[in-house]
Amino acid sequence: MSDFCQTSTTVAGGMDSMNPEQNRTAAHFRSLHTSQKPLALSNAWDVASAVITEAAGAPAVATTSAGVAWSLGLPDGDRLDRERAVAVIASIVNAVNVPVTADIEGGYSETLDGIAKTVVEVLEAGAVGINMEDGSREPADFCARISAARQAAGNAGRDLFINARTDVFLAGVGTLDQQIAEVLARAEKYVEAGADGIFVPGASDADTVAALTAGIAVPVNIMVGPGSLSVSDLGRLGVSRVSLGSSIAQAAYAVAHRAAEELNTAGTYDAVSEAIDYGSLNGLFATSN
């Protein structure tokens, strides 16, 4: 089992009145995490995808770091810089009227002070939640990152929902039982460090999901896609949040690829036959500055 940090921190659930409106939004965002009706997030990567998501009835908007990176000509995987990431977050927050939670990968810094700076800037952009991922980092390192994020939010007088992602299942090391045990051990320490939720991409079958929700004391987030259990089925297993991750951006770019390929081979245009009507799409932005 991995070594973990021992961190004592104050969770920013009862903030002062420095930022009442944003903290009310954060409190509302927290309340959306329930297994009775799991928070279903179809992740956005720019203003248009965020506005479309809100118009479809989404109670909140989450960003996908992969989608944001691709839209800016970068690969996923901590290659995006803080400045451009925060600029996208701010533009999305300014375009929608629902809570926004931002995927900030590993924190866009290799130092704890840098991670704190990222969190402050994300909060100033108006987001009320973040995703941070452990990836290939040691759990002790990630605990310190979570604690730095929590402390930064507390110092700023802001409530912040920290969704801590663990990539144990994606790494695929060990047996399934060993992976479950590792996730549960990490989740316990990540919560001690200040995480409000645990995101476990790669967990998919009902027995695994049930073991995770039974063993994790905070809301559990599962990544979904074609063939996954339904939102209602996951709720019955105790899941409080589901995310589509980068798959919507991937699907959108797949349409662009198919349309270009079809146009330049067959000379036909069927790939764009299910496009959103121009007037409807344009109308979503009619009141924008």
Side-chain angles (χ1 to χ4, degrees):
M1 188 61 61
S2 303
D3 293 331
F4 297 105
C5 62
Q6 298 297 320
T7 306
S8 177
T9 186
T10 300
V11 175
M15 288 294 165
D16 60 25
S17 59
M18 289 176 63
N19 303 279
E21 183 176 353
Q22 189 169 358
N23 287 339
R24 282 194 294 271
T25 301
H28 172 60
F29 181 67
R30 285 179 180 276
S31 74
L32 297 174
H33 293 76
T34 170
S35 59
Q36 283 70 47
K37 185 180 180 182
L39 175 60
L41 296 169
S42 49
N43 303 66
W45 62 96
D46 62 7
V47 168
S49 58
V51 169
I52 290 167
T53 297
E54 181 185 30
V61 168
T63 67
T64 159
S65 63
V68 172
W70 295 332
S71 73
L72 296 172
L74 295 168
D76 188 28
D78 290 309
R79 297 287 297 277
L80 184 61
D81 61 274
R82 178 193 298 125
E83 182 178 3
R84 284 187 285 182
V86 171
V88 171
I89 294 164
S91 67
I92 289 173
V93 170
N94 290 333
V96 300
N97 295 303
V98 294
V100 174
T101 181
D103 182 350
I104 62 169
E105 303 186 66
Y108 299 125
S109 178
E110 289 307 312
T111 70
L112 298 183
D113 285 345
I115 290 165
K117 179 177 174 61
T118 297
V119 168
V120 169
E121 291 190 11
V122 167
L123 287 165
E124 289 176 348
V128 296
I130 58 169
N131 267 33
M132 283 206 306
E133 60 198 51
D134 57 12
S136 61
R137 299 176 182 87
E138 289 299 317
D141 178 11
F142 192 53
C143 283
R145 288 168 179 262
I146 294 169
S147 184
R150 172 59 66 214
Q151 190 63 50
N155 290 343
R158 312 280 181 106
D159 192 3
L160 177 69
F161 191 101
I162 299 176
N163 201 35
R165 168 177 148 175
T166 179
D167 288 353
V168 169
F169 285 105
L170 298 182
V173 177
T175 66
L176 178 58
D177 286 344
Q178 289 172 328
Q179 291 170 15
I180 292 172
E182 178 72 4
V183 169
L184 294 178
R186 292 188 184 207
E188 181 179 0
K189 296 303 180 183
Y190 294 171
V191 171
E192 288 178 5
D196 300 292
I198 301 294
F199 182 23
V200 196
S204 56
D205 67 274
D207 289 342
T208 298
V209 171
L212 296 176
T213 58
I216 296 175
V218 296
V220 173
N221 183 183
I222 297 297
M223 185 177 287
V224 294
S228 297
L229 295 167
S230 70
V231 173
S232 58
D233 285 342
L234 288 168
R236 283 190 284 272
L237 292 170
V239 173
S240 297
R241 174 168 166 170
V242 299
S243 305
L244 281 166
S246 64
S247 61
I248 298 178
Q250 290 172 254
Y253 293 135
V255 173
H257 179 267
R258 287 196 300 271
E261 185 175 58
E262 180 187 0
L263 179 65
N264 288 284
T265 53
T268 53
Y269 331 103
D270 292 339
V272 294
S273 61
E274 296 183 10
I276 297 176
D277 174 75
Y278 174 88
S280 298
L281 184 56
N282 202 51
L284 292 176
F285 306 96
T287 58
S288 301
N289 294 328

